[in-house]
Amino acid sequence: MTQKNIAIIRNVTDLRQTIAKWRAEGHSIGLVPTMGALHAGHLSLVTKMLGQTDKVIASIFVNPKQFGAGEDLDRYPKNEDADCKMLSETGAHAVFIPDCASIYPEGFSTNITVAGLSDDLCGKARPGHFDGVSTIVTKLLVQAMPDVAIFGEKDFQQLAVIKRLQQDLDLPTKIISGAIVREDDGLALSSRNAYLTADERKIAALLSATLKQAVARANAGEDLRVIEAESTLYLLKAGFKAVDYFSFVDANTLKQVNDLSGQTRVLVAAHLGKTRLIDNFAV
Ligand code: PAF
């Protein structure tokens, strides 16, 4: 089935057939995994991939295994028609939209765990989340066997976990990343921004502003623990309900750092009303 000029693929047999045909024609293949509810951040990944490979396939699958009990699986925004239209207009060649029963059939028992990198930060606040991500991403990479797959830097821990599993499992796909796309006021684009009320939306912009200020303070030589503590307090006073972490970490190991001698990233996760937002900046 096609919408305009994008092929819509619903099962792994058709996915493999399409990819085999492209391969036979000598094309390279790029995969852009998503959970749908697409925005300009996702489309920037498609655009970047179009500069890397001949054929670009996006996937849309709201993966239940990466949602914990009481999280937003049931209300996660879905708009398949709009997503396909956007993908088509951006130039993606195909979209893979499998159903849950085909991804996790009766008896599915395999779990991929990337130990260490998955444990802290979002992993601590969302136990099992990265096992769910690692399992579905491994599955998608094995199903499609793309030359390149791309993931956004907004989910910085997810990116580190995926790079690790690709390396550990010798998966023949190159993992690349796409820069965070932001609204004019600095809020990182996220499908979950749709949950924010008008008042929360105003407060949400403080997340990136606080990170930016934290970067400036760190570069000016202030103590990183003091910046983390004061930034957390500032966000709580500004209306965030809870801050899961505000942390300067090594960009590769994700371990908290005491100075800026290595490649450093500052990461935050905070709750605003019923919405959990994450963001990060390079230092
Ligand atoms: O970042 C996402 O949208 C998801 O975590 C991913 C990588 C598509 C896996 O479900």
Side-chain angles (χ1 to χ4, degrees):
M1 190 188 164
T2 56
Q3 156 141 351
K4 280 196 185 159
N5 46 2
I6 193 168
I8 300 177
I9 301 169
R10 302 231 176 236
N11 63 69
V12 71
T13 307
D14 291 350
L15 174 74
R16 287 192 164 139
Q17 250 168 32
T18 301
I19 286 174
K21 180 173 165 287
W22 286 342
R23 290 250 179 248
E25 292 166 356
H27 296 305
S28 57
I29 288 140
L31 177 70
V32 185
T34 81
M35 295 206 301
L38 301 183
H39 50 65
H42 296 111
L43 301 181
S44 75
L45 302 180
V46 172
T47 302
K48 183 165 176 178
M49 191 60 92
L50 285 165
Q52 305 259 331
T53 58
D54 303 324
K55 296 289 182 186
V56 174
I57 179 157
S59 63
I60 297 177
F61 179 64
V62 182
N63 173 35
K65 280 199 189 297
Q66 68 187 79
F67 290 78
E71 289 190 347
D72 57 342
L73 174 61
D74 292 341
R75 65 179 181 134
Y76 198 83
K78 287 187 191 69
N79 197 342
E80 194 180 297
D81 287 349
D83 288 347
C84 291
K85 186 163 182 284
M86 278 190 264
L87 288 169
S88 165
E89 285 167 1
T90 308
H93 301 93
V95 55
F96 177 44
I97 314 180
D99 64 15
C100 199
S102 72
I103 291 287
Y104 300 122
E106 187 74 27
F108 185 92
S109 317
T110 300
N111 192 46
I112 306 282
T113 299
V114 178
L117 282 173
S118 301
D119 299 340
D120 289 333
L121 305 164
C122 284
K124 205 173 200 170
R126 305 182 68 191
H129 169 68
F130 288 113
D131 284 12
V133 170
S134 300
T135 303
I136 189 62
V137 169
T138 303
K139 228 181 131 119
L140 290 169
L141 293 180
V142 170
Q143 289 177 330
M145 286 292 177
D147 298 288
V148 188
I150 189 166
F151 299 87
E153 289 173 4
K154 188 177 76 65
D155 297 275
F156 198 78
Q157 187 175 10
Q158 167 174 285
L159 179 61
V161 166
I162 292 168
K163 282 182 178 165
R164 185 77 248 170
L165 77 81
Q166 180 274 336
Q167 219 179 312
D168 289 354
L169 299 177
D170 300 315
L171 296 175
T173 298
K174 181 178 168 196
I175 304 297
I176 62 169
S177 65
I180 300 174
V181 179
R182 297 180 180 281
E183 301 277 10
D184 289 346
D185 65 1
L187 178 66
L189 295 194
S190 164
S191 308
R192 291 190 166 98
N193 292 351
Y195 300 151
L196 298 170
T197 64
D199 284 346
E200 288 166 355
R201 173 62 191 82
K202 283 183 204 143
I203 299 170
L206 294 175
L207 208 57
S208 62
T210 310
L211 284 171
K212 238 188 203 168
Q213 198 179 16
V215 172
R217 289 176 64 182
N219 283 325
E222 283 192 51
D223 185 281
L224 302 185
R225 294 295 87 73
V226 171
I227 304 172
E228 288 168 358
E230 290 181 1
S231 303
T232 299
L233 207 61
Y234 175 78
L235 290 172
L236 292 172
K237 279 190 181 155
F240 284 84
K241 204 169 68 180
V243 176
D244 287 343
Y245 57 83
F246 193 109
S247 214
F248 287 90
V249 301
D250 178 279
N252 298 306
T253 64
L254 303 185
K255 295 262 179 258
Q256 200 176 38
V257 294
N258 298 321
D259 58 50
L260 304 183
S261 54
Q263 237 189 317
T264 308
R265 200 97 186 174
V266 58
L267 273 54
V268 66
H271 298 256
L272 191 51
K274 290 186 178 144
T275 310
R276 185 174 185 274
L277 298 173
I278 58 172
D279 197 356
N280 67 85
F281 272 74
V283 181

